[in-house]
Amino acid sequence: MTSPSGLRDTIFHALSRRFFYGWTILGVAGLGIFVSGPGQSHTFSVFIGPIGRDLGLSNASIASAYGLATLAAAFCLPYMGRLVDRYGPRRMTAVVILLLGFACMLFGAAAGLVSLALSFAALRFLGQGSLMLNCANLVAQWFSRRRGFALSLMALGFAVSMAVHPPLGQWLVAEIGWRKAWVVLGLLTWLLMLPPVLLLIVDKPEDRGLHPDGDRAAAEAAAASAQALPGLTLREALRTPAFYIIAAGWCAIAMLVTTLHFYQVSILRSQGISAEIAARVFPVSALTLLLAMPFVGRGFDRFRTRYVFVAGLVITALGLIGVTFVRDLTSAVLYAMLFGLNNAFSLTMFGYLMPRYFGRRHLGSLQGTGQMIAVVGASLGPLPVGFAFDYLGGATLTLRLLALIPFACAVAALFLRTPAGVPHASHLE
């Protein structure tokens, strides 16, 4: 019987004779982003009502459990980043997928606020945090000159998740209840992702004598080890202004995009939109995301990075303001399109900015710390909106005030520069 490594070698040689193997890696990473759906806020959005009614919990209680659990999970992500640097994304992705399936089933067994919070923590750490980190690491390793475009294609998996997971979750709740729905989601996680992870992933192009983007280079360069890759250590990155400008922007975007994902159904229902239409706004956002992603990715590859970063932050602010004006189907569709564009920017920049400004050599630890910052932001975002619903009777003013945060970060991003010692294309500075 052929071993998994032998079969993986056979598949690699068969496919690499036909096209650059990085496209295979990109396909697996895109599938991984889709499979992260059970750990994403847009999936939780349709479960908040059933969970609250079943467990007797208020919006503020669920938002607090979600936020605190996500915050706790965030601080584990730098450790995951170091594990990726040490063992490689293939091994760590396989471990994450196995644990994510079990975490889905654990979530379905939640019996109270404490067990719900622990289940939230597991799903957020494994799905929204670790799986996305590994997928972004893979694509960043295999692509450089076309990294923005490749990451935009990877993020199409998120668009498909936005289109599939909320309606699927709502259908499963109606058919078998919210608890059994999570068992189904866990089984689908294993079925969809374990085979390609074990059989198709190769950690870096240099491991097979290749180069990012499939570019040709001198033979001695092709044989270089990963240790020869350029890049700053985490400690060196922490000494640069660029790290803190990126961190602030990431935190703001993650905080506010998560807020809209998590409370979108509740926000729209409070403004007179039916539950069915509110849930089906997600596919409109997903279609917009699908159409916008290649253009956003090309933008990162072709234009000054800081200006594209600024554009993403401004669109986040406009999304927070725009959702407060939704009153009918037409305005709901217009908001959904804006939110889809918002997601196109946020998903691409999370994988793009760290290797762009700090290099590939220590990418796992850098991404782990960056992802921690993003998840900390995601943990804080839903809290003010949850309290606004419970104690102010609505979230309109709160959402408009929150829009000031990404506007401020956009101003700071205008001063973003590449640290000394990191190679970059001059037109991207």
Side-chain angles (χ1 to χ4, degrees):
M1 180 179 293
T2 306
S3 67
S5 66
L7 186 55
R8 187 166 57 250
D9 290 341
T10 301
I11 294 172
F12 171 82
H13 290 300
L15 294 179
S16 60
R17 283 196 294 267
R18 292 173 172 82
F19 50 81
F20 173 53
Y21 196 75
W23 298 114
T24 302
I25 298 296
L26 178 58
V28 176
L31 178 62
I33 297 298
F34 170 77
V35 170
S36 75
Q40 302 289 356
S41 298
H42 56 256
T43 301
F44 294 135
S45 183
V46 299
F47 286 92
I48 294 173
I51 290 173
R53 289 189 294 271
D54 186 26
L55 301 181
L57 300 174
S58 66
N59 279 323
S61 295
I62 294 175
S64 297
Y66 179 85
L68 292 174
T70 304
L71 183 63
F75 292 103
C76 299
L77 287 171
Y79 181 64
M80 172 59 67
R82 291 194 293 271
L83 290 176
V84 172
D85 282 340
R86 182 173 181 180
Y87 297 108
R90 180 179 63 82
R91 290 181 181 177
M92 295 314 303
T93 302
V95 171
V96 167
I97 290 297
L98 282 171
L99 295 177
L100 180 58
F102 285 120
C104 290
M105 299 173 192
L106 176 66
F107 190 83
L113 188 60
V114 174
S115 56
L116 182 69
L118 292 173
S119 301
F120 270 140
L123 287 172
R124 296 296 276 169
F125 170 66
L126 295 166
Q128 190 260 359
S130 298
L131 184 52
M132 294 188 75
L133 185 156
N134 278 275
C135 292
N137 185 288
L138 279 166
V139 174
Q141 295 290 357
W142 280 85
F143 292 89
S144 178
R145 180 172 44 83
R146 293 180 285 184
R147 182 177 292 142
F149 181 62
L151 286 165
S152 71
L153 295 181
M154 179 194 77
L156 295 180
F158 193 86
V160 178
S161 176
M162 285 181 66
V164 170
H165 280 111
L168 174 62
Q170 190 170 24
W171 180 79
L172 288 172
V173 169
E175 294 296 319
I176 60 176
W178 75 270
R179 295 184 182 278
K180 291 181 181 178
W182 282 94
V183 176
V184 173
L185 291 174
L187 293 174
L188 286 175
T189 297
W190 290 338
L191 180 65
L192 291 173
M193 198 62 188
L194 277 177
V197 167
L198 296 175
L199 297 178
L200 297 177
I201 287 182
V202 176
D203 289 338
K204 295 182 179 69
E206 290 83 359
D207 294 344
R208 298 287 184 165
L210 300 176
H211 273 258
D213 303 301
D215 291 340
R216 294 182 177 275
E220 61 272 16
S225 69
Q227 292 299 316
L229 297 174
L232 303 184
T233 65
L234 176 60
R235 181 172 295 181
E236 290 168 338
L238 289 171
R239 299 193 187 106
T240 67
F243 184 90
Y244 296 98
I245 294 173
I246 292 170
W250 272 18
C251 187
I253 289 176
M255 176 174 66
L256 302 170
V257 170
T258 297
T259 299
L260 292 175
H261 276 295
F262 191 78
Y263 272 118
Q264 180 166 285
V265 172
S266 300
I267 292 168
L268 296 183
R269 290 199 68 186
S270 72
Q271 296 171 181
I273 305 299
S274 69
E276 290 73 18
I277 292 177
R280 297 192 181 280
V281 161
F282 284 110
V284 177
S285 295
L287 178 60
T288 306
L289 172 60
L290 184 72
L291 296 174
M293 286 302 304
F295 297 100
V296 173
R298 292 288 190 189
F300 273 105
D301 288 335
R302 294 184 179 185
F303 302 112
R304 295 185 187 276
T305 306
R306 64 180 182 274
Y307 294 154
V308 185
F309 190 22
V310 167
L313 287 160
V314 170
I315 289 172
T316 298
L318 294 177
L320 287 162
I321 296 170
V323 73
T324 66
F325 289 97
V326 174
R327 292 295 182 271
D328 53 26
L329 178 60
T330 300
S331 55
V333 170
L334 291 174
Y335 158 72
M337 294 171 65
L338 179 62
F339 190 48
L341 182 60
N342 185 8
N343 279 275
F345 275 91
S346 65
L347 288 167
T348 303
M349 69 177 62
F350 283 154
Y352 185 89
L353 292 176
M354 282 298 179
R356 157 69 178 83
Y357 283 96
F358 306 111
R360 289 198 291 142
R361 184 171 181 179
H362 303 282
L363 186 55
S365 58
L366 287 162
Q367 285 179 322
T369 301
Q371 196 83 338
M372 177 194 71
I373 293 167
V375 177
V376 167
S379 72
L380 299 175
L383 295 176
V385 174
F387 280 98
F389 272 121
D390 285 343
Y391 300 109
L392 301 179
T396 297
L397 178 60
T398 300
L399 289 164
R400 292 174 182 175
L401 289 174
L402 288 172
L404 296 174
I405 299 174
F407 274 131
C409 291
V411 174
L414 291 171
F415 300 93
L416 185 59
R417 297 293 186 275
T418 303
V422 178
H424 65 281
S426 59
H427 77 281
L428 297 179
E429 181 60 74

